[in-house]
Amino acid sequence: MAITSAICSSYKKELFDGTHASGDIYKIALFTDLATLSAATTAYSTTNEVSGTGYTAGGATLSGFTSGLSSTTAYLTFSDPSWSNATITARGCLIYNSSKSNKAVAVFDFGQNVTSTSGTFTVDLPAAGASALIRIA
């Protein structure tokens, strides 16, 4: 199994179709190292999603939707999501649009298993700009 960081191919097409909007509800779900997620992922699924204290299936709702342009690079990012008092281990995450049938947006591999034991599990997202979370250059 593998998690491969990518902007989901279906999301790229859906941008041109006008499927996704700033007023939609975007979520982030955490996954174990048994998950298979990549550019080919089209929708959120509970298969190999993290489970544990402080984490609910479906993940967390993202806030702070920020889109913009840095020179010729369009970007999208959110505020850092966190789970308090969490005992979980995650290898990666999926950002998806729960307003649009849980359509996949992007997959990120953390590079290794990350564990929180009765503490806060935070996903540090890049700041807005040319190196933001989701970019189209």
Side-chain angles (χ1 to χ4, degrees):
M1 307 300 155
I3 297 175
T4 305
S5 296
I7 305 302
C8 297
S9 297
S10 57
Y11 174 72
K12 294 174 188 177
K13 181 188 178 306
E14 290 160 1
L15 286 174
F16 288 116
D17 294 342
T19 302
H20 302 274
S22 61
D24 292 345
I25 297 170
Y26 293 87
K27 298 188 87 175
I28 183 169
L30 303 176
F31 289 86
T32 71
D33 57 3
L34 297 175
T36 300
L37 301 168
S38 68
T41 301
T42 59
Y44 161 77
S45 166
T46 59
T47 304
N48 295 310
E49 186 174 5
V50 163
S51 65
T53 304
Y55 184 86
T56 303
T61 299
L62 290 166
S63 63
F65 182 102
T66 303
S67 64
L69 206 60
S70 178
S71 186
T72 60
T73 301
Y75 63 84
L76 169 64
T77 195
F78 302 90
S79 300
D80 295 346
S82 64
W83 293 263
S84 57
N85 198 25
T87 299
I88 53 177
T89 299
R91 173 61 195 229
C93 64
L94 171 70
I95 293 177
Y96 66 99
N97 186 337
S98 68
S99 296
K100 306 294 183 191
S101 304
N102 295 331
K103 292 182 179 291
V105 173
V107 173
F108 298 98
D109 177 14
F110 298 154
Q112 65 185 16
N113 283 330
V114 179
T115 300
S116 173
T117 305
S118 297
T120 301
F121 188 102
T122 302
V123 178
D124 293 322
L125 302 178
S131 62
L133 181 66
I134 299 168
R135 302 177 298 283
I136 300 174

